[in-house]
Amino acid sequence: MRKLIVTEFISIDGIAEVEKLPGVTWNDEMNRFKDDELADSGAMLLGRTTYEIFAGSWPTETGDFADRFNALPKYVASNSLKALDWKPAELLKGPLPEAVKTLKQGSGGNIYVHGSLSVAQELLRHGLVDRVRLLSYPGAVGQGKPLFPGGVAVSLELISATPFSNDVVALEYAPVTAKS
């Protein structure tokens, strides 16, 4: 069975809006973290907004990482999109939890949710997330969209914590209900 992995950039106070995060210098350690994710990834699950942002920039990127990233199957959760130009991609049909349960039963490697906060939150609420991978930025931003849904307790077990030389910390957690 495929695992569903949420991957986010986040502040220490839980805000996952990239544009609000404190500035850090991207480094080789962060590149390795993202390369490891890509090597483990069999598909992406994206919400409409993240899909549109990625589709607007990734197809013009070049290099090994971009080639592999662009080639991944993309599953898009959207009620408003009718067509997807960044291929290979397909729109999910029906309620998100049921569509994701079906995807997880398939083959082809793990499914990564990049950004897509509303999708990540709904999947966390339904206990469908197997891992949460975070790049925790060194600073609190005070306000913005949190990763974890309000009003829902999410118990996590720490799998690993790796500090980087730029003060970012790579964290991996398993939701307690999704231990494997």
Side-chain angles (χ1 to χ4, degrees), residues 53-75:
I53 291 167
F54 283 12
S57 62
W58 275 105
T60 61
E61 294 293 324
T62 59
D64 179 60
F65 186 94
D67 292 346
R68 292 182 293 140
F69 195 75
N70 283 317
L72 282 174
K74 297 145 205 59
Y75 300 102

Side-chain angles (χ1 to χ4, degrees), residues 82-104:
K82 301 298 179 223
L84 303 172
D85 296 327
W86 185 32
K87 305 286 183 192
E90 74 177 74
L91 286 166
L92 292 177
K93 308 266 190 280
L96 182 61
E98 285 74 24
V100 168
K101 286 176 189 172
T102 300
L103 285 177
K104 288 178 72 172

Side-chain angles (χ1 to χ4, degrees), residues 4 6 95-101 104 118-130 149 152-154 175 177-178:
L4 186 111
V6 169
L96 182 61
E98 285 74 24
V100 168
K101 286 176 189 172
K104 288 178 72 172
S118 61
V119 169
Q121 289 174 344
E122 185 169 352
L123 298 174
L124 283 162
R125 270 193 294 277
H126 288 278
L128 293 169
V129 175
D130 298 291
V152 177
V154 178
T177 58

Side-chain angles (χ1 to χ4, degrees), residues 44-52 73-79 81 83-84 86 88-93 96 99 103 116 119:
M44 285 184 253
L45 172 56
L46 306 169
R48 180 195 52 81
T49 301
T50 302
Y51 172 82
E52 288 177 334
K74 297 145 205 59
Y75 300 102
V76 182
S78 173
N79 293 320
L81 288 175
L84 303 172
W86 185 32
E90 74 177 74
L91 286 166
L92 292 177
K93 308 266 190 280
L96 182 61
L103 285 177
S116 306
V119 169

